[in-house]
Amino acid sequence: MVIATTNPATGETLKTFQPAADTEVEIAIGRAYSRWKSYRTTDFTQRSTWMRASSDLLDTETADVARLMTTEMGKTVDAARAEISKCVRALNYYADHAEQLLADELVDAQSVGADRAYARYEPLGPTLAVMPWNFPLWQVIRFAAPALMAANVVLLKHASNVPQTAMYLEDLFRRGGFPDGCFQTLLITSAQVESVLRDPRIAAATLTGSELAGRSVAAICGDEVKRTVLELGGSDPFVVMPSAELDRAVDAAVTSRVQNNGQTCIAAKRFIVHTDVYDAFTNAFVTKMRALRVGDPLNSDTQVGPLATEQNRLDVDALVTDAIERGAQVLCGGGLPDGRGWFYPPTVLANITPQMRVYAEEAFGPVAAVYRVRDIDEAIEVANATPFGLGSNAWTTAASEQKRFIHELEAGQVFINGMTGSYNELPFGGTKRSGYGRELSGHGIREFCNLKTVWIG
Ligand code: NDP
């Protein structure tokens, strides 16, 4: 893939970049490694100061950065602003809490025959982050904020369609005060990732993206015995039971399915509705999906912008076409619209069968699949009938049903009567083919630490 800024609303390529030469990558790794040796001796107070300064800069630059993100990957400018404000909060969260989250863990010294014994968290070293375009700032920040506060240094290989956002990030942390080499953006292709991962100075890697990319990075790191965190795709279930507050459930269903133009890993994608409320839910859902304003993402009235890449739109359309050919019912949307830009209409499909690709694959666009189920057993069975296990959502006010969803949904997170989201205070990640490891909260910052046992006699 060419490294370029191409406006998804017009299809116009605005700027292209040469991938970094291997010698430049070598220099960057060397810089990261030597910087890490001194950076790891800095204290939390110093790192917090740099982190807060970066956060303040980002906050004041919101308008320009939002416009840049919208131009590079098509999210609405309001969504871009919301993403920036979430990043500002995450930077401050780790500036405020890292020290406490990484505090030594004391054990009862007597029971291990020591005068003193504890476990301490130490940084691992230079870490490569391979990141996707869908939340071009947030995906990076949610890794980089804890990583930098834990005294690791970061090399970023961002998606090839968001190079200017990637370069902005390096610039942001540098202006925030982080010493040269703490955060570097490598403008490299995915084919160049392997040699970075195999470099002995690189300690670990994190990847957010597709299963294919995750498998490749994990296989190389497995071969090198290096730690990885993988945040991969999802096809989250959204279960609606008869006791649900239907209006709230419908609103959350629409928001979840179309936010970020339908390109969110933890968005609800499969809507599994009890037969008693199926018609009421589906009618209201389709009415709202049909009424959404699709258009120029820079216009603040727009609710759904274009898909980020031409290929992504083709992939989404192929899933929809396959479902239609195999008998799915189109309740709204479907099909490629005329005109320039990579727009796709909000689409709702019903009568889905296991033979259709959309039954098992992730629809990374504003496409919802609705399923009618007769009871909670069937709801859980359909919800779990996916190779993915990222987020999950259930709407019911019955305590016994809530308990079953919490226990039985195979996912990294379950949200009851509220939209799935990510929060600094809560761990984020998946199970099954959605990956492993956790980001955010204390779990996220500890992923890239060496937990060293200390025993003093
Ligand atoms: P990709 O996996 O193609 O791209 C993600 C990143 O991985 C990019 O930087 C890409 O670089 C790089 N990459 C791609 N192939 C390889 C490879 N073989 N080796 C090393 N790096 C590679 O995903 P998409 O861009 O298509 O993003 C959409 C997917 O990501 C969806 O499946 C979605 O669900 C998932 N995702 C998961 C999230 C989560 O938090 N769990 C969040 C967001 C998305 P380049 O651009 O140069 O190809």
Side-chain angles (χ1 to χ4, degrees):
M1 191 179 184
V2 171
I3 301 178
T5 297
T6 300
N7 185 346
T10 61
E12 189 189 353
T13 296
L14 304 172
K15 206 165 180 180
T16 56
F17 297 82
Q18 274 303 319
D22 291 349
T23 47
E24 293 173 87
V25 176
E26 163 63 29
I27 290 168
I29 295 173
R31 189 184 296 125
Y33 188 69
S34 66
R35 170 56 63 199
W36 177 61
K37 287 193 202 154
S38 58
Y39 182 64
R40 65 176 304 186
T41 66
T42 58
D43 61 19
F44 283 104
T45 308
Q46 176 62 82
R47 298 196 293 273
S48 297
T49 306
W50 294 328
M51 191 61 67
R52 278 200 204 89
S54 306
S55 170
D56 290 346
L57 280 169
L58 178 58
D59 198 16
T60 56
E61 293 164 4
T62 294
D64 288 344
V65 181
R67 207 179 164 82
L68 174 62
M69 288 158 72
T70 298
T71 305
E72 289 205 302
M73 55 66 66
K75 66 173 59 212
T76 64
V77 75
D78 284 352
R81 284 174 171 278
E83 180 174 339
I84 292 165
S85 114
K86 190 167 176 167
C87 291
V88 166
R89 288 197 300 277
L91 293 165
N92 288 333
Y93 174 82
Y94 280 106
D96 291 345
H97 297 287
E99 185 165 12
Q100 168 228 326
L101 296 172
L102 296 181
D104 293 346
E105 293 178 5
L106 297 177
V107 300
D108 174 11
Q110 262 188 348
S111 63
V112 294
D115 285 345
R116 199 157 169 252
Y118 59 96
R120 64 180 251 114
Y121 291 95
E122 295 187 343
L124 284 183
T127 302
L128 179 69
V130 181
M131 290 291 153
W133 42 263
N134 66 338
F135 290 91
L137 215 59
W138 169 247
Q139 304 283 18
V140 178
I141 294 284
R142 80 175 174 187
F143 162 71
L148 289 168
M149 284 306 302
N152 292 301
V153 301
V154 176
L155 289 156
L156 169 66
K157 182 270 180 276
H158 217 325
S160 295
N161 57 330
V162 290
Q164 296 193 65
T165 308
M167 291 190 306
Y168 170 78
L169 279 158
E170 176 177 310
D171 190 48
L172 174 73
F173 286 116
R174 187 185 48 73
R175 286 183 291 131
F178 284 95
D180 191 36
C182 282
F183 185 107
Q184 297 179 81
T185 289
L186 302 176
L187 288 185
I188 56 174
T189 64
S190 55
Q192 292 172 278
V193 167
E194 177 163 1
S195 63
V196 179
L197 293 173
R198 291 205 184 275
D199 190 295
R201 293 165 294 184
I202 299 295
T206 181
L207 178 135
T208 299
S210 62
E211 196 184 323
L212 205 68
R215 246 191 275 137
S216 168
V217 165
I220 296 162
C221 287
D223 196 35
E224 296 287 340
V225 197
K226 290 180 181 177
R227 200 172 309 172
T228 49
V229 166
L230 298 184
E231 299 284 5
L232 309 180
S235 191
D236 287 7
F238 183 107
V239 181
V240 186
M241 296 300 286
S243 66
E245 277 184 56
L246 224 50
D247 290 348
R248 282 185 56 226
V250 169
D251 286 345
V254 174
T255 305
S256 182
R257 188 57 296 225
V258 302
Q259 72 169 354
N260 211 32
N261 310 337
Q263 305 159 121
T264 304
C265 48
I266 49 158
K269 291 171 188 139
R270 298 176 300 128
F271 298 84
I272 299 159
V273 189
H274 191 284
T275 189
D276 290 357
V277 285
Y278 180 89
D279 290 338
F281 173 86
T282 306
N283 290 339
F285 181 50
V286 170
T287 302
K288 292 199 167 181
M289 287 287 277
R290 201 181 270 134
L292 291 164
R293 290 183 299 277
V294 179
D296 181 355
L298 283 172
N299 184 338
S300 59
D301 282 344
T302 295
Q303 291 168 300
V304 184
L307 299 193
T309 66
E310 188 171 21
Q311 187 59 48
N312 197 28
R313 183 167 82 145
L314 290 172
D315 292 346
V316 167
D317 190 53
L319 271 190
V320 173
T321 304
D322 169 80
I324 294 170
E325 283 172 3
R326 292 171 194 270
Q329 188 187 0
V330 183
L331 301 181
C332 69
L336 291 173
D338 293 331
R340 64 182 195 158
W342 301 318
F343 294 92
Y344 201 83
T347 297
V348 181
L349 301 173
N351 295 347
I352 308 294
T353 64
Q355 288 69 39
M356 299 171 189
R357 286 180 52 202
V358 74
Y359 186 85
E361 293 181 37
E362 177 182 28
F364 217 51
V367 175
V370 190
Y371 299 78
R372 184 196 289 268
V373 291
R374 62 182 177 277
D375 55 24
I376 188 169
D377 292 326
E378 192 183 4
I380 291 170
E381 188 186 319
V382 175
N384 289 338
T386 165
F388 297 110
L390 194 52
S392 62
N393 219 205
W395 294 76
T396 171
T397 51
S400 60
E401 290 178 352
Q402 292 181 359
K403 192 170 166 193
R404 282 202 61 190
F405 288 123
I406 291 166
H407 286 223
E408 295 179 43
L409 288 177
E410 297 165 358
Q413 47 227 299
V414 53
F415 279 62
I416 306 287
N417 297 330
M419 205 180 90
T420 313
S422 58
Y423 297 89
N424 294 323
E425 297 79 1
L426 286 171
F428 180 93
T431 185
K432 293 161 77 177
R433 296 207 137 184
S434 292
Y436 52 75
R438 290 293 178 266
E439 296 197 282
L440 299 175
S441 75
H443 297 278
I445 195 168
R446 292 181 205 117
E447 284 284 1
F448 290 103
C449 290
N450 171 31
L451 183 57
K452 184 184 274 177
T453 296
V454 181
W455 187 99
I456 305 165

